[in-house]
């Protein structure tokens, strides 16, 4: 099965980029929140993300923004990010 890793780096205020990203997600794909997209882990924005898709957030970006609570989202390190890219057939960046 073809798996894609979608990396999203825009904040919740950029609803167009999120919308395009969500339309492109297919079964088996994964979503990684990086940079300002880690604000989607906040309770006020979490509902905007899809269920049924593995969602990850980059730990260094959470820490840089003082975010510590990311319920039901996998928090990954930089080496885990690299490993995730190796296990997916392609990486699609949304910015």
């Amino acid at each position: 099965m073809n798996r894609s890793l979608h990396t999203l780096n825009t904040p919740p205020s950029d609803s167009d980029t999120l919308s395009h990203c969500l339309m492109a997600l297919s079964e088996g794909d994964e979503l990684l929140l990086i940079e300002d997209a880690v604000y989607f882990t906040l309770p006020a924005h979490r509902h905007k993300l899809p269920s049924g898709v593995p969602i990850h957030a980059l730990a260094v970006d959470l820490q840089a923004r003082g975010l510590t609570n990311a319920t039901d989202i996998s928090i990954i390190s930089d080496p885990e990010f690299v490993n995730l890219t190796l296990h997916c057939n392609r990486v699609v960046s949304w910015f």
Side-chain angles (χ1 to χ4, degrees):
M1 172 172 39
N2 285 334
R3 266 176 63 189
S4 296
L5 172 62
H6 296 262
T7 61
L8 179 66
N9 77 338
T10 58
S13 61
D14 184 351
S15 59
D16 287 341
T17 303
L18 175 64
S19 177
H20 290 119
C21 175
L22 296 181
M23 287 189 306
L25 284 171
S26 297
E27 183 179 339
D29 288 356
E30 302 196 33
L31 177 61
L32 174 62
L33 306 173
I34 61 173
E35 300 172 4
D36 284 341
V38 298
Y39 287 113
F40 280 106
T41 64
L42 294 171
H45 301 292
R46 179 61 181 94
H47 70 279
K48 298 174 185 176
L49 298 176
S51 58
V53 173
I55 300 175
H56 313 279
L58 200 56
V60 295
D61 290 331
L62 287 166
Q63 293 166 352
R65 287 154 182 83
L67 303 175
T68 57
N69 234 356
T71 59
D72 72 334
I73 293 176
S74 169
I75 300 173
I76 64 172
S77 64
D78 285 341
E80 290 170 315
F81 175 19
V82 172
N83 194 37
L84 189 57
T85 65
L86 295 174
H87 286 93
C88 291
N89 300 84
R90 66 184 182 147
V91 176
V92 181
S93 298
W94 299 94
F95 52 93

